[in-house]
Amino acid sequence: MDQITEKRTWAEISRSALRHNLNVAKELTGGTKIMCVIKGNAHGHGAVECGRTLEQAGADAFAVASLEEAVELRSSGIQVPILVLGWTDPRYASVFCDYDILQSGLDLEYVRELSGQMTAQKDDRKIGIHVKLDTGMTRTGVNAQGEPADAASAVETMMTLPGIQVTGIFTHFAAADMPEKDDYTAMQLKRYKAVLAELEKRGIDTSLLLKHTGNSASIMYHPETIFDMMREGVMMYGFYPNGIYDPDGPLEPVLSLNCRVAQVKEIPAGTSVSYGCTFTSDRPMKIAAVTAGYADAYPRSLSNKGAWAVINGQKCPQIGRICMDMCMFDVTGKEVKAGDRVILYGRGGMHLDELTALIGTINCEPTCLITNRVKKIYVD
């Protein structure tokens, strides 16, 4: 059988949009270092290809969720620092040194375990650690919601452990994208600064530690959170941190999800469409069945919610229940035929901030659900 080169569903990823959004972050932060967050396969956009593009464009560091993600980047030739944000089994401590990867210091006991593994393996190298302070996210990190002296003591102890080199200290804001909770963000920032001040009291020169607190929301809405580096996540992919699409905003969508028209048919009034008969035509209509469904990152929960796709430059409303591999659109009065390209969302189509607002989820969730059956094509 000849190799199949035409895909039924594909994602186009714009390298130029990636570069643009990185430059937006640099401009908004006055040239501060930017750590690009490319965990979750770069939010579904492809970590290796996005990583290469961003490194060439001037990314200062990368953040990922797991050691496996970090090793994949390093093995692909990425040279800039890579920080693992999540937990890694301490048994793999030496792998951090093998690949020159940084690990988040989630708490004192965890860093002790990493140190113990290095000692047990008689490995005289040191793992680079960025200590994470839990200032209010209440997820992972050294507890900094109480006395700053307690958190500072934990950090100070980490700095004395064999096989450990503390090179950074950071926190993560829980509600920086919500202006009604700016007081909470301010409180978290105050707690972070209090730990730094306590470390200075103990004679630790915090200027030697890379300090970063800001995420995408901080970059766009909270310049007071700028330290040595900022972490750019969702905004790098053209999503607004507050989930509100701004057509006049500075960001460019990076990805578009595309498929093809499979069939066009005329139906009379009173005809039900798709599973469950959740849509019934109230007039004669022309409908198009297209080659994408919820297995292609087009959420089933969008069914009959007012979403639309672009076919031949025309907005076409989604109708009926979205199936695993197909869904339907109203193309009444439009020139549409089998094989025509369909832009389901993203660059050139419905913005994901608009689309996900219809179903009450965040803008990056659909792209994170893109599977291997959706081919990724990188364009400029």
Side-chain angles (χ1 to χ4, degrees):
M1 179 179 177
D2 293 336
Q3 184 177 5
I4 298 173
T5 57
E6 181 67 27
K7 296 292 286 186
R8 58 185 291 282
T9 309
W10 72 99
E12 279 190 4
I13 293 100
S14 168
R15 297 181 190 275
S16 61
L18 269 176
R19 291 190 289 264
H20 171 83
N21 294 335
L22 173 60
N23 288 332
V24 169
K26 285 183 174 288
E27 290 169 7
L28 289 173
T29 60
T32 300
K33 289 182 178 180
I34 300 296
M35 173 181 279
C36 297
V37 181
I38 54 176
K39 62 181 180 176
N41 199 24
H43 294 51
H45 293 65
V48 169
E49 291 299 328
C50 289
R52 288 170 175 163
T53 297
L54 291 164
E55 184 176 50
Q56 291 168 3
D60 298 287
F62 292 122
V64 294
S66 68
L67 180 59
E68 293 90 340
E69 290 181 338
V71 169
E72 179 187 32
L73 290 176
R74 195 61 91 212
S75 299
S76 73
I78 297 295
Q79 298 295 313
V80 298
I82 303 172
L83 173 65
V84 175
L85 296 170
W87 178 86
T88 303
D89 192 319
R91 291 180 298 169
Y92 300 106
S94 63
V95 178
F96 287 100
C97 298
D98 294 340
Y99 289 90
D100 189 21
I101 293 167
L102 300 162
Q103 170 62 36
S104 296
L106 304 182
D107 59 34
L108 178 55
E109 186 56 35
Y110 176 65
V111 177
R112 276 194 175 123
E113 289 184 52
L114 290 171
S115 172
Q117 285 292 325
M118 297 298 286
T119 302
Q121 296 169 23
K122 295 182 171 57
D123 193 329
D124 58 2
R125 298 175 297 176
K126 292 187 176 183
I127 302 172
I129 295 290
H130 282 206
V131 178
K132 184 176 185 182
L133 298 179
D134 174 15
T135 59
M137 182 70 179
T138 318
R139 192 166 60 179
T140 55
V142 175
N143 183 10
Q145 298 188 44
E147 289 297 324
D150 294 338
S153 293
V155 177
E156 187 177 30
T157 301
M158 289 181 197
M159 300 178 81
T160 68
L161 295 174
I164 299 298
Q165 184 174 9
V166 176
T167 60
I169 185 166
F170 72 107
T171 193
H172 187 57
F173 295 119
D177 57 340
M178 304 171 71
E180 69 274 19
K181 295 191 177 180
D182 280 354
D183 287 348
Y184 195 83
T185 300
M187 179 183 67
Q188 284 194 257
L189 182 60
K190 182 178 179 181
R191 288 170 172 172
Y192 178 78
K193 289 180 176 179
V195 176
L196 295 182
E198 184 64 31
L199 288 171
E200 290 284 350
K201 285 182 186 177
R202 296 164 184 244
I204 296 170
D205 185 357
T206 59
S207 69
L208 301 177
L209 301 177
L210 191 64
K211 293 177 282 296
H212 49 109
T213 68
N215 51 16
S216 289
S218 303
I219 291 171
M220 297 201 74
Y221 315 130
H222 293 281
E224 74 278 8
T225 65
I226 297 174
F227 286 87
D228 304 320
M229 186 165 64
M230 301 290 271
R231 299 185 302 275
E232 184 180 17
V234 293
M235 66 175 287
M236 192 164 56
Y237 308 104
F239 307 144
Y240 286 88
N242 61 5
I244 301 173
Y245 174 47
D246 181 0
D248 300 317
L251 304 179
E252 292 184 8
V254 171
L255 177 147
S256 68
L257 184 66
N258 305 266
C259 64
R260 297 287 180 188
V261 173
Q263 186 180 16
V264 179
K265 63 175 62 175
E266 305 278 352
I267 62 172
T271 302
S272 294
V273 177
S274 194
Y275 287 120
C277 305
T278 59
F279 177 89
T280 301
S281 60
D282 59 0
R283 66 190 188 284
M285 295 177 66
K286 182 166 69 172
I287 69 169
V290 308
T291 58
Y294 59 81
D296 304 289
Y298 196 63
R300 185 176 182 271
S301 55
L302 275 175
S303 302
N304 301 307
K305 293 287 179 64
W308 47 268
V310 173
I311 308 176
N312 296 334
Q314 307 161 99
K315 287 185 179 182
C316 303
Q318 187 278 322
I319 58 172
R321 189 166 287 168
I322 295 168
C323 312
M324 179 181 285
D325 315 302
M326 304 188 84
C327 59
M328 277 63 75
F329 291 88
D330 177 6
V331 296
T332 305
K334 299 176 173 66
E335 290 296 322
V336 174
K337 65 183 184 304
D340 284 348
R341 176 185 177 181
V342 181
I343 304 176
L344 293 168
Y345 58 66
R347 195 173 178 86
M350 189 175 189
H351 197 282
L352 268 163
D353 284 323
E354 297 176 284
L355 182 142
T356 52
L358 296 175
I359 54 177
T361 190
I362 57 174
N363 45 29
C364 60
E365 184 180 36
T367 61
C368 287
L369 300 177
I370 292 176
T371 66
N372 288 336
R373 99 170 176 177
V374 178
K375 180 179 176 65
K376 294 182 180 69
I377 299 172
Y378 296 86
V379 299
D380 260 321

